Amino acid sequence: YSIGGFLSMILKLTDHKNYFSDSKVCMFCGGATFNRFSPVSKFILDSEANVALYSFLVEHIDRIMRKDKLLDHYINGDHTEGKVLYSMLDYHKMRDFRESLLKKYEDQFYAVTLKKDTVIPTVEVINTLKGANRDISIKVDELDFDREYTHENPFPSAGSSGKQSDHDLDIVFKKISDFYNKA
């Protein structure tokens, strides 16, 4: 879910020592590169923290690596983990590398997004997972519940939407179960 999907993608694409070679990754409200998130929310990051994190990881990471030889070694050296992380920070950086890995594992990824999600929008998940040329066959299902919801609270239990949330949760988990049970 959310940033957990981002981290899961990095683990899967890195596949250190083939630990995850037979693993599938399903993301709910996740699957975009870091610079395509909009995490400013009282429940996620305040605007100052978001600016600082974005500034470090996206705008200044190359300059920082020129000064920090150890960081540069792990990102630009012969370390798949660093390359995968770097490719997931900015949609435009190492796009061919990232997309070749996504294509390699396309049958092992699946994403469920929400139409009204403003933190990790469906279009950005599609841009990342299906690639710039839309030639990666990762399935992305966009849902739109017939009630109010947010990225931070997709299944509110309070008020009149409680029963509808339970129903919607069942739909999401049915899709996820079908993906994991598919041979």
Side-chain angles (χ1 to χ4, degrees), residues 9-54:
M9 283 181 67
I10 292 169
L11 286 172
K12 175 65 181 174
L13 295 176
T14 299
D15 197 20
H16 181 71
K17 294 184 179 180
N18 294 315
Y19 289 148
F20 304 105
S21 59
D22 295 324
S23 299
K24 291 182 174 183
V25 176
C26 177
M27 294 159 289
F28 177 63
C29 297
T33 58
F34 181 82
N35 72 322
R36 300 299 175 100
F37 295 173
S38 301
V40 176
S41 162
K42 65 181 178 178
F43 300 108
I44 303 173
L45 286 177
D46 66 29
S47 59
E48 288 183 33
N50 183 57
V51 167
L53 193 57
Y54 187 90

Side-chain angles (χ1 to χ4, degrees), residues 56-71:
F56 180 82
L57 292 175
V58 178
E59 294 174 341
H60 300 293
I61 190 74
D62 293 320
R63 184 176 51 79
I64 293 165
M65 284 192 299
R66 284 193 295 272
K67 293 179 181 179
D68 186 333
K69 296 303 177 196
L70 186 60
L71 180 62

